[in-house]
Amino acid sequence: VVIVVLFRDHNSKQRERNQYKQRKALLTTQSPPTVSLTVMAKYAYAPLQIDQNRRGNQGGSSGNNLSGMMMSSSNNNSNIPSQADKDDGNDQLVQERMPMCVAICVLLAIVFVLSKGSGDIDLQAQQQLQQQQQHSLRSMDTPQVGATAATATTATTTASGHHSEVYPKPGMVQQQDLVDMNMVPEAAPDSLAAASTTTVNTATIETPPVASCPDCPTCPEPTTTTTTTTPNILDDPNALMAKLRQDALDSTPPHIIECSSAEAGESQDACHLPKSERYTALGQKGATLWMTGCSGAGKTTIATALEDLLVKHHGKHVYRLDGDNLRTGLNRDLTFTEADRAESVRRTGELATLFSDAGVITLVGLISPYRGDRDLVRKRHEDQGIPFYEIFLDVPIDELKARDPKGQYARVDSGELKHFTCIDDPYEEPLDPEITLKTHELKIEESAKILLQRLEKDGILMGPPKVTPPGLPNPDGDLLVDLLVSPTEAPSKQAEAATLPKVLLTDIDLNWLQTVAEGWAAPLTGFMREGILLETLHFNSLLVDPFNITGNGDKLTTKTKFEDFNPHRPNHRVSMPIPITLSLTEFTKDSIEQSGKQDVALVTRMGKMIAILRNVEIYENRKEEIVTRMFGAIDMGHPYIKNIYAGGDYLIGGEIELLERIVYNDGLDQWRKTVTELLQEFDDKGADTVYAFQTRNPTHAGHAYLMKSAGEDLKRQGYENPVLWLSPLGGWTKSDDVPLDVRVKQHEEVLKMGTDHPGGLDPASTVMAIWPAPMVYAGPTEVQFHAKSRRCAGASYFVVGRDPAGMKGSMEAVAHQDDDLYDGNHGRYVLQNSPGIEDMKMLSFVKVMYDVTDNVMKVPDESRMDDFISISGTKMRLLARNGAVPCSATDIPTDLVEANCIPSGFMVPDGWDLVVDYYKNIDNTTRWIPWSQPHVDPPAAEGTVSTGSFGFSTFAMQNVGSASFWHDIEYMPSAYKADKGIINMVTEIPMYMAAKMEVDKSSPGNPIIQDSNKDGSPRYYTYGTPFFNYGLIPQTWEDPDLKTGLFGGDNDPIDVMELGSTSLKMGSVTPCRVLGSMELIDEGEMDHKILCISLSDPDASRIHNMDDLEAVKPGYIAKIVHWWKYYKTSDGKDVNSLGSETPRTVDQALQVLEEVHHRWRSLCGLDGTRRTALSSHTDGFWLASQGCRA
């Protein structure tokens, strides 16, 4: 039949032969020798070349075909082929393809005949064929990687450590069963011979009579032969396709190089966008969730619910792959045979790998019954560095039959369906899946939530790398910020800081420095530049690009440009609602600009160089704009608004290098933890989520109820170990807030009591850590920062109550005087919808009351409200001030104030005692620690002793060697009496220290104490960091009755400025050469300032007067003049006047010194002046020292 179809009739063949001979003769006579070579080449590739010939004839041009050569070989138009020539060419097409067609037909005929078996094959040929087949089968049965011999069941371990077992699958032919099989006919290739896996059948076949042979004397008798026959793999298209597919896979090189940039076996990231950049830009990582389980276990249902959550609620790119959408396209050619099931899993695994590599969270729902197939998919993901989650939906068969959503189990039971997985076909359960869901015990939403939480825990829902422990969120900007320099770098950095211009930090500034440097305000790494401040004020958030995806990686750390914008906006928004700025005065600004340096040293009010600010940017402090946008209220009596207006007229931004850890030495530092330390503590407790509770007041049982209830609710959501972060405010607070030490010590008692009291907390699941930032009382704006900073330290949930961060308006408020500045509900609403808050969730306060029936605070039962008592904060404070004692547990009065008792379950007993102690002694301000202020040792000289806290009103320093700094130290050092102009200086304020210290004229011993403002608060310089050492010259007195012009003396020892380059110790006595003097007119008094240089200063030998000073330190005199004129303006006072802006000469200064020394002698009666003769200005002076009136 084949021959009839392919061959034409005899006449046609004869005509074609004649035409071919003619063309060949023409070529022989007209073409050069190279043409014959072309013909040979054309014959070798006839199918392609003839098609080109045909196209060449039709298109009019041919360079590589026979007709083209014929045309090029002729010099006249007579050689242009006619239509007959074209027909002949078509005939030639058949002619030239005929040998190949015949060969194929013959080969197929032979295969067909031999496949049916033949009695003409002798025994020797059969044995030879069997040996060939056995060799082929043995080579095919070489075990695959990760599998065992077909007869064994052996545990294996995948790259991820998950154990699996590979079993002989149903229908698989084992090696020993194939050795003696004659599987396929001789003509079949070895690969096909190895493919048959069908049971061997035998049959007795009667051989047909042999035709008579004329040349043989006797024909053989018919015989009966028993022959082994095997169903041929060619008879089963699916089996054949599976075998061919497997052969192709087996022959594929293990590493295919996709581009020349990647070496063999290396990552193809060289040829693609790296996953890290792709994931960061997309805001998520790719991962595959492979859901396996029997039919009806809920794979598609749960995947659909999870997809809905991820796409709609989290805005993530997700795609779901299951049997339905795969078999309509990609797997359309596959059946349900074992081989095709394996191929379905392989294809789906490859597709999932590509999807996940592209950043898609891929949800696969396939029964995928065989463990080995799933393990190969897992390995493929692991090899590509892609997260793979095997999720086993573990549901009993009876439950599956009861569900039976497609009616398949009923068909199985009726016998209609055979070979149904999990019933009469095997299902190999995962040995160590990442997640097991017993969906018959869980709601659909609960199952989806479990998977969602696992993705959150592993950082799949964020694009950048995860830098925090599992289950905890990355900080804003996805980078941990810790700006403390290493111990090895610190000495060189300190030395550098000493050479830089100095910028003064207030204690509030120090709180903000700690907040930024420890990572609470990530991604900030310094005080805000102008552009960052503008974004904060107008959007409560920042656009950032920490991984430089859009080319804006340095946005936060470069100087603001208002003309040159990057054409691509940063791709990520983070919360930043509160300005974190550092103000400075014009004096400090000029000092920085005149220095020519781009970096400055940050100095505390106690003179400690604590940090370096790099690449600084100075800009105008637009105070009104900041206040109005930050607070949304007009209240000049607001305490933090006052602080903003008290700042300098300029702001300075730049990046921080913290030279040493910030500590306060107030007994509370154990509760001050950096972001990095907090994350480690959460990890040590095994937290899978953290919820933060901020406290401004002592914690009572109502707070404890809310915190414990929140933890139980999180457990119901699927978290196993939620950890509570008890987070008391630690930075600056207004004066009437409960002091920090009272709150922290009360919290300690709450933790110590544990769960033995309704007001206690379990220390095993609670972490207490002080929050370092100042309070600014900006209501809805500030609460966003409270939440953001807790998120930067690991919290996923933030408990927020009514009117967070609010306060009552002052009597200077335009509206809401002595009333809440902000609506109590606004803070929670704004927080829930604030930009950049990401996935942080809010836990709202609910109203709780005291249940007298069981002495527990809880949500009141509306059906028995008479059993509940409300204890407000105002009532609690009143009871504490009155020293209320515990009520009877069985008889709690309705009016607690009248009974002056507190219910026993309201607060842990020792904690209540602390609160009572505070409110009963609230006016003793020196006893409490209101907020985080540094308690440091003074830079004291040898021979001095101190009491109280340095920088606070309790501080005092005495001189051990003499009774009085003022009266008992010599006016001029005895060793230099012959050297005119050398005096003794007692240092009160060392260089760079802003704490205003002075000798106390009234106290015994005349100690050095902290100067005070009129309201009793410690006094500090605010205009800048003093660039000089400041003190007094002993045994001098500026008598108010001694007039210089219209102004009398200031009633103090005469002041002295030491102008060297080294900081002197407080209380030190230093020989100093007089250079001149200044005359400051300060609030109607003449206040002389002697200018000198320490004899031990490196420049002392070169500086003897003011001219020398200007020559050695150009501009220094102008700097001194500017300081004394303007140093009080930063406190809101007027500019000072000077008697002369040109300093007095050395001789003039010595004349002043002689006069004030003489006045001191009169004060002490050394010239015979009686005490009663002194003016009333001296009343209260302590003069009873050995050197005065002892």
Side-chain angles (χ1 to χ4, degrees):
V1 174
V2 174
I3 293 174
V4 170
V5 171
L6 291 178
F7 289 93
R8 304 174 69 180
D9 60 84
H10 175 74
N11 293 332
S12 298
K13 289 188 289 182
Q14 185 63 41
R15 184 171 61 253
E16 289 166 354
R17 282 196 295 269
N18 294 336
Q19 292 172 344
Y20 181 73
K21 289 179 180 180
Q22 293 173 4
R23 292 192 177 105
K24 185 175 181 180
L26 180 62
L27 287 171
T28 303
T29 57
Q30 294 184 0
S31 301
T34 56
V35 176
S36 62
L37 296 176
T38 306
V39 172
M40 293 176 65
K42 183 175 78 72
Y43 187 81
Y45 299 92
L48 175 62
Q49 294 290 340
I50 291 176
D51 284 346
Q52 289 178 341
N53 182 24
R54 178 181 300 168
R55 288 194 296 270
N57 290 335
Q58 293 172 350
S61 174
S62 60
N64 296 318
N65 53 55
L66 183 61
S67 298
M69 284 183 285
M70 292 174 62
M71 291 173 63
S72 64
S73 64
S74 176
N75 294 323
N76 53 65
N77 293 336
S78 62
N79 289 326
I80 298 177
S82 64
Q83 183 60 41
D85 290 331
K86 293 181 181 180
D87 292 338
D88 289 343
N90 293 337
D91 291 338
Q92 182 185 348
L93 172 63
V94 177
Q95 170 77 22
E96 296 194 2
R97 285 186 173 176
M98 189 60 66
M100 179 178 64
C101 295
V102 171
I104 292 173
C105 293
V106 172
L107 178 60
L108 290 175
I110 293 172
V111 170
F112 178 81
V113 173
L114 292 179
S115 68
K116 295 301 184 180
S118 171
D120 296 334
I121 302 175
D122 59 45
L123 181 59
Q124 181 179 2
Q126 280 189 342
Q127 292 174 346
Q128 184 179 5
L129 177 61
Q130 287 177 347
Q131 291 172 358
Q132 294 172 351
Q133 294 167 344
Q134 291 167 11
H135 174 75
S136 174
L137 291 170
R138 289 191 184 99
S139 64
M140 181 190 74
D141 276 338
T142 302
Q144 298 286 331
V145 175
T148 63
T151 57
T153 300
T154 306
T156 63
T157 304
T158 66
S160 64
H162 287 84
H163 296 282
S164 63
E165 291 184 354
V166 179
Y167 294 90
K169 300 175 183 177
M172 180 181 293
V173 180
Q174 300 180 10
Q175 184 172 351
Q176 62 266 29
D177 297 329
L178 296 171
V179 172
D180 298 324
M181 293 181 182
N182 181 10
M183 302 283 293
V184 293
E186 183 179 6
D190 287 346
S191 61
L192 297 183
S196 177
T197 59
T198 309
T199 304
V200 176
N201 298 320
T202 60
T204 301
I205 303 175
E206 184 173 343
T207 306
V210 180
S212 59
C213 180
D215 298 330
C216 297
T218 305
C219 293
E221 295 293 329
T223 59
T224 301
T225 304
T226 301
T227 305
T228 300
T229 62
T230 305
N232 186 6
I233 194 171
L234 297 175
D235 292 337
D236 185 350
N238 290 328
L240 175 61
M241 182 62 71
K243 177 55 188 168
L244 293 174
R245 187 166 55 229
Q246 187 60 48
D247 286 348
L249 290 173
D250 292 343
S251 65
T252 302
H255 301 294
I256 300 176
I257 305 304
E258 297 182 11
C259 72
S260 59
S261 300
E263 298 295 333
E266 291 186 352
S267 170
Q268 293 298 312
D269 279 355
C271 314
H272 299 283
L273 184 66
K275 282 198 286 286
S276 60
E277 294 184 18
R278 182 189 303 275
Y279 292 169
T280 298
L282 294 176
Q284 67 180 71
K285 298 182 183 69
T288 294
L289 283 71
W290 191 281
M291 301 185 195
T292 177
C294 299
S295 178
K299 298 180 293 297
T300 298
T301 301
I302 293 171
T304 301
L306 178 60
E307 182 181 34
D308 192 75
L309 271 177
L310 290 170
V311 174
K312 295 180 180 178
H313 296 178
H314 295 269
K316 302 304 176 184
H317 299 281
V318 184
Y319 198 76
R320 181 168 46 84
L321 300 173
D322 56 26
D324 293 338
N325 59 14
L326 290 170
R327 287 193 177 274
T328 58
L330 182 67
N331 293 345
R332 184 179 178 184
D333 60 321
L334 301 180
T335 66
F336 290 93
T337 65
E338 180 183 337
D340 280 9
R341 280 179 178 270
E343 174 63 9
S344 174
V345 171
R346 188 194 70 81
R347 290 185 189 179
T348 305
E350 290 293 331
L351 183 60
T353 302
L354 293 174
F355 273 30
S356 298
D357 186 59
V360 178
I361 298 172
T362 309
L363 312 179
V364 178
L366 290 183
I367 295 175
S368 44
Y370 301 117
R371 192 177 299 127
D373 296 336
R374 298 193 302 267
D375 286 346
L376 289 175
V377 175
R378 175 190 293 279
K379 185 176 186 305
R380 181 74 172 123
H381 281 73
E382 290 171 346
D383 289 345
Q384 297 296 313
I386 298 171
F388 179 84
Y389 300 87
E390 187 176 31
I391 301 165
F392 176 36
L393 277 60
D394 186 7
V395 183
I397 291 296
D398 290 344
E399 173 67 22
L400 295 173
K401 289 182 177 181
R403 293 179 181 177
D404 201 10
K406 299 180 181 179
Q408 292 175 319
Y409 287 98
R411 296 172 65 193
V412 172
D413 288 344
S414 67
E416 182 181 349
L417 280 181
K418 297 293 185 182
H419 302 293
F420 192 78
T421 303
C422 298
I423 303 297
D424 53 356
D425 256 15
Y427 176 81
E428 299 171 1
E429 294 184 358
L431 297 179
D432 191 15
E434 278 72 12
I435 301 171
T436 297
L437 296 178
K438 296 181 179 295
T439 61
H440 57 294
E441 299 175 0
L442 297 166
K443 296 179 181 177
I444 296 172
E445 297 79 10
E446 292 173 335
S447 294
K449 183 73 172 179
I450 290 170
L451 300 181
L452 176 66
Q453 289 174 356
R454 180 59 182 270
L455 295 177
E456 289 178 328
K457 178 180 179 180
D458 293 350
I460 302 300
L461 303 189
M462 63 178 67
K466 187 160 178 56
V467 297
T468 55
L472 307 187
N474 266 7
D476 284 356
D478 299 293
L479 294 174
L480 284 172
V481 174
D482 186 349
L483 305 179
L484 181 65
V485 302
S486 68
T488 57
E489 293 180 304
S492 62
K493 300 281 188 182
Q494 286 279 5
E496 180 190 2
T499 68
L500 298 174
K502 309 298 187 294
V503 174
L504 176 65
L505 298 176
T506 68
D507 286 349
I508 294 178
D509 295 332
L510 186 65
N511 292 161
W512 283 124
L513 175 67
Q514 181 184 8
T515 301
V516 174
E518 293 181 355
W520 302 87
L524 276 189
T525 56
F527 287 102
M528 288 181 174
R529 299 177 181 277
E530 188 170 15
I532 304 307
L533 174 61
L534 288 174
E535 289 187 52
T536 297
L537 291 176
H538 289 266
F539 311 126
N540 284 5
S541 59
L542 302 177
L543 282 173
V544 297
D545 183 14
F547 299 95
N548 203 34
I549 300 300
T550 63
N552 290 279
D554 59 354
K555 176 178 178 238
L556 300 182
T557 58
T558 55
K559 295 182 179 180
T560 306
K561 300 176 182 178
F562 291 107
E563 293 82 20
D564 184 15
F565 295 98
N566 190 311
H568 306 289
R569 283 164 45 117
N571 60 348
H572 186 52
R573 186 173 293 279
V574 298
S575 176
M576 190 61 67
I578 295 296
I580 302 179
T581 58
L582 178 60
S583 73
L584 70 168
T585 61
E586 185 175 3
F587 169 78
T588 305
K589 169 181 172 289
D590 292 344
S591 298
I592 296 169
E593 292 173 347
Q594 291 166 10
S595 73
K597 296 187 177 181
Q598 292 297 309
D599 306 325
V600 300
L602 304 183
V603 183
T604 70
R605 297 205 288 191
M606 298 308 172
K608 181 184 288 292
M609 284 179 284
I610 192 69
I612 294 175
L613 198 65
R614 299 289 189 190
N615 190 29
V616 297
E617 174 183 342
I618 299 175
Y619 56 100
E620 183 181 357
N621 185 4
R622 304 177 67 86
K623 301 175 185 179
E624 186 176 33
E625 180 180 358
I626 292 173
V627 167
T628 52
R629 286 205 167 269
M630 181 175 173
F631 292 91
I634 303 174
D635 183 0
M636 297 305 294
H638 187 291
Y640 200 84
I641 291 177
K642 281 184 176 180
N643 177 69
I644 292 175
Y645 276 102
D649 292 334
Y650 299 91
L651 298 175
I652 184 170
E655 285 62 60
I656 292 168
E657 290 181 2
L658 191 65
L659 301 180
E660 60 181 81
R661 180 167 182 172
I662 296 173
V663 294
Y664 294 94
N665 299 309
D666 54 3
L668 305 177
D669 283 329
Q670 63 173 316
W671 302 112
R672 292 186 176 96
K673 300 165 185 177
T674 68
V675 166
T676 303
E677 291 169 342
L678 258 179
L679 291 171
Q680 183 60 56
E681 188 163 354
F682 293 145
D683 193 32
D684 292 343
K685 286 187 177 292
D688 55 0
T689 193
V690 173
Y691 61 109
F693 189 94
Q694 175 176 286
T695 65
R696 288 172 60 183
N697 291 293
T699 296
H700 56 65
H703 299 136
Y705 172 84
L706 292 170
M707 288 183 259
K708 289 183 282 192
S709 297
E712 293 302 318
D713 183 59
L714 291 173
K715 287 181 179 179
R716 285 190 291 272
Q717 293 182 37
Y719 293 106
E720 296 180 359
N721 190 28
V723 169
L724 166 66
W725 173 10
L726 189 61
S727 182
L729 300 172
W732 174 87
T733 53
K734 55 189 176 68
S735 59
D736 59 349
D737 279 353
V738 179
L740 174 62
D741 60 335
V742 175
R743 287 182 280 122
V744 170
K745 290 176 181 178
Q746 194 270 347
H747 296 345
E748 290 175 356
E749 297 300 329
V750 168
L751 291 172
K752 190 183 300 182
M753 182 60 69
T755 57
D756 294 336
H757 187 279
L761 295 170
D762 183 5
S765 60
T766 305
V767 171
M768 183 165 75
I770 293 173
W771 185 67
M775 280 287 291
V776 299
Y777 304 97
T781 299
E782 184 179 9
V783 73
Q784 297 173 64
F785 184 72
H786 290 178
K788 170 243 173 45
S789 61
R790 272 37 177 251
R791 182 176 185 271
C792 287
S796 297
Y797 294 85
F798 184 64
V799 182
V800 57
R802 183 187 178 279
D803 193 21
M807 61 171 287
K808 291 184 181 298
S810 76
M811 299 311 295
E812 299 178 52
V814 173
H816 306 294
Q817 294 180 359
D818 198 29
D819 192 9
D820 291 343
L821 278 176
Y822 309 103
D823 186 284
N825 295 311
H826 288 184
R828 283 182 290 194
Y829 181 87
V830 169
L831 180 58
Q832 193 68 40
N833 296 280
S834 62
I837 204 65
E838 298 294 337
D839 292 330
M840 191 171 196
K841 303 168 185 67
M842 310 307 151
L843 303 173
S844 292
F845 269 27
V846 293
K847 183 176 178 59
V848 294
M849 299 176 69
Y850 194 88
D851 189 345
V852 298
T853 64
D854 58 5
N855 289 297
V856 173
M857 292 199 76
K858 63 183 69 168
V859 177
D861 184 344
E862 296 291 338
S863 65
R864 53 183 187 90
M865 291 300 295
D866 291 343
D867 293 333
F868 291 87
I869 297 175
S870 175
I871 307 176
S872 65
T874 301
K875 184 182 291 186
M876 181 201 75
R877 290 188 286 271
L878 178 59
L879 290 168
R881 185 181 285 272
N882 294 339
V885 298
C887 303
S888 168
T890 58
D891 185 17
I892 300 175
T894 303
D895 192 339
L896 298 176
V897 175
E898 182 180 359
N900 197 32
C901 71
I902 191 78
S904 60
F906 176 73
M907 188 179 291
V908 297
D910 290 343
W912 176 251
D913 291 343
L914 287 168
V915 174
V916 169
D917 182 43
Y918 164 66
Y919 279 105
K920 291 181 71 173
N921 297 279
I922 193 171
D923 297 325
N924 185 2
T925 57
T926 61
R927 182 178 170 184
W928 315 111
I929 299 172
W931 48 284
S932 295
Q933 294 175 276
H935 291 66
V936 299
D937 294 331
E942 293 183 8
T944 61
V945 61
S946 301
T947 58
S949 296
F950 177 48
F952 296 86
S953 59
T954 58
F955 176 78
M957 173 182 283
Q958 297 279 3
N959 187 299
V960 176
S962 61
S964 168
F965 282 113
W966 185 13
H967 303 305
D968 295 334
I969 296 173
E970 292 183 308
Y971 159 60
M972 289 187 175
S974 56
Y976 296 94
K977 284 191 182 278
D979 190 348
K980 180 183 178 182
I982 305 300
I983 50 89
N984 272 329
M985 170 185 177
V986 175
T987 301
E988 296 170 313
I989 307 173
M991 186 181 292
Y992 308 133
M993 195 177 81
K996 183 70 172 67
M997 315 300 291
E998 65 177 9
V999 163
D1000 183 358
K1001 301 188 296 278
S1002 301
S1003 298
N1006 304 120
I1008 296 174
I1009 64 170
Q1010 171 75 52
D1011 194 8
S1012 299
N1013 294 309
K1014 292 180 180 179
D1015 62 358
S1017 61
R1019 183 181 172 194
Y1020 292 89
Y1021 289 124
T1022 60
Y1023 194 58
T1025 301
F1027 54 95
F1028 46 82
N1029 294 292
Y1030 193 73
L1032 68 109
I1033 299 176
Q1035 299 182 343
T1036 63
W1037 175 47
E1038 293 195 81
D1039 187 350
D1041 293 332
L1042 178 62
K1043 303 291 185 179
T1044 302
L1046 300 176
F1047 307 104
D1050 67 353
N1051 207 29
D1052 288 327
I1054 196 166
D1055 299 325
V1056 57
M1057 293 176 67
E1058 195 279 323
L1059 306 178
S1061 56
T1062 304
S1063 178
L1064 302 177
K1065 297 292 186 180
M1066 183 185 298
S1068 63
V1069 180
T1070 305
C1072 200
R1073 176 180 294 119
V1074 175
L1075 304 178
S1077 68
M1078 302 284 296
E1079 296 172 344
L1080 173 66
I1081 302 173
D1082 185 5
E1083 298 182 1
E1085 298 174 337
M1086 178 62 70
D1087 189 1
H1088 288 92
K1089 309 293 182 183
I1090 300 298
L1091 309 178
C1092 76
I1093 186 166
S1094 168
L1095 295 184
S1096 61
D1097 189 84
D1099 293 324
S1101 62
R1102 299 193 294 158
I1103 301 177
H1104 295 80
N1105 51 49
M1106 300 307 294
D1107 291 337
D1108 292 345
L1109 177 67
E1110 186 65 22
V1112 175
K1113 298 184 177 184
Y1116 215 72
I1117 294 176
K1119 194 173 183 180
I1120 294 169
V1121 171
H1122 180 94
W1123 173 272
W1124 288 117
K1125 288 181 66 175
Y1126 294 97
Y1127 82 101
K1128 287 188 177 181
T1129 57
S1130 56
D1131 297 323
K1133 297 182 179 180
D1134 294 334
V1135 176
N1136 287 326
S1137 297
L1138 299 178
S1140 171
E1141 297 203 4
T1142 301
R1144 302 301 186 188
T1145 65
V1146 173
D1147 290 339
Q1148 290 171 323
L1150 290 176
Q1151 290 177 4
V1152 172
L1153 282 172
E1154 286 296 326
E1155 181 63 37
V1156 296
H1157 176 61
H1158 174 73
R1159 293 284 173 161
W1160 171 82
R1161 290 177 58 82
S1162 298
L1163 176 67
C1164 289
L1166 300 181
D1167 63 354
T1169 303
R1170 293 178 176 272
R1171 178 71 187 261
T1172 55
L1174 299 175
S1175 70
S1176 60
H1177 298 295
T1178 65
D1179 292 346
F1181 283 8
W1182 187 82
L1183 305 174
S1185 70
Q1186 189 66 35
C1188 192
R1189 290 183 178 269

